Amino acid sequence: MRKILLLVLFTFIIAACGTEKQVVNKKHLYTIELPGYMSEVTDLSEDASLQYQSIVNDIYVMVFDEPKENLGNAIYDNGLEDDYTDDLNGYAKLLTTGIADNVEFISVPSFTDKQINGLNAKIVDFSGTAEGVKAYWMVAFIEGRNNYYQISTWTSLDRKDKLHKDMEAMIESFTETDKSKR
């Protein structure tokens, strides 16, 4: 019995730590490559077009997509023209301000400009406390042809060093597949 229990435990650990990848295609808008140990869920955010997690590895990812015109409408309808621009910089700044309302920062977020598969992006990573839990986030804001995308990845702060590369790989794998022009 003990050998069977050890075999089951060993199999579980190997499956949880595997390097297998899965490519997910969402809404014919984008693809993203995720670690094979992550599973699709529906309870992280009703607004996200993609939600995956691994409770065993304590890692989560969500992707939000929204038409570019929604940003301009939100800025102008709320009189925010003096604070935010109607471009990728404004999108990233506006959403980061929203994050700051829910997180007590341990490290101060700063943006890094990057190209992700030919798309302009701003990456921010930071540590903080949300709902009493210390966590590490890596978030990408990406300008697509017709949409802006936000990729939010997070884990507990004590898992940051172990999972940072997986989080970065998820973000860098993002590819927009929508080639239509509005």
Side-chain angles (χ1 to χ4, degrees), residues 126-157:
F126 55 91
S127 301
T129 303
E131 298 178 9
V133 177
K134 289 184 179 178
Y136 169 72
W137 288 267
M138 182 181 293
V139 181
F141 304 98
I142 301 171
E143 182 176 11
R145 184 177 293 227
N146 300 308
N147 295 293
Y148 288 113
Y149 303 93
Q150 176 189 353
I151 305 171
S152 296
T153 64
W154 71 96
T155 188
S156 57
L157 187 57

Side-chain angles (χ1 to χ4, degrees), residues 64-68 70-71 91 95 146-150:
F64 300 87
D65 57 81
E66 53 192 314
K68 284 184 173 180
N70 287 3
L71 175 63
Y91 179 71
L95 292 180
N146 300 308
N147 295 293
Y148 288 113
Y149 303 93
Q150 176 189 353

Side-chain angles (χ1 to χ4, degrees), residues 41-119:
V41 294
T42 58
D43 59 349
L44 297 176
S45 171
E46 63 185 39
D47 297 325
S49 58
L50 178 139
Q51 305 172 59
Y52 275 71
Q53 71 181 19
S54 171
I55 293 175
V56 171
N57 290 296
D58 190 26
I59 186 170
Y60 306 84
V61 63
M62 294 187 300
V63 178
F64 300 87
D65 57 81
E66 53 192 314
K68 284 184 173 180
E69 62 265 14
N70 287 3
L71 175 63
N73 293 340
I75 290 170
Y76 300 116
D77 291 350
N78 293 292
L80 301 172
E81 302 91 342
D82 293 337
D83 299 316
Y84 304 102
T85 54
D86 187 7
D87 58 12
L88 180 60
N89 291 327
Y91 179 71
K93 184 178 174 186
L94 180 65
L95 292 180
T96 303
T97 300
I99 292 169
D101 292 341
N102 298 306
V103 175
E104 182 182 322
F105 292 120
I106 295 171
S107 63
V108 178
S110 62
F111 290 108
T112 301
D113 293 328
K114 191 166 194 160
Q115 285 277 311
I116 297 178
N117 293 311
L119 300 174

Side-chain angles (χ1 to χ4, degrees), residues 21 33 35 37 59 136 138 153 155 159-173:
K21 302 287 184 191
E33 190 172 283
Y37 60 74
I59 186 170
Y136 169 72
M138 182 181 293
T153 64
T155 188
R159 308 261 312 158
K160 172 186 173 183
D161 292 337
K162 180 173 177 48
L163 295 172
H164 182 269
K165 286 185 181 181
D166 284 354
M167 296 165 80
E168 189 172 54
M170 285 188 275
I171 287 171
E172 290 180 357
S173 76

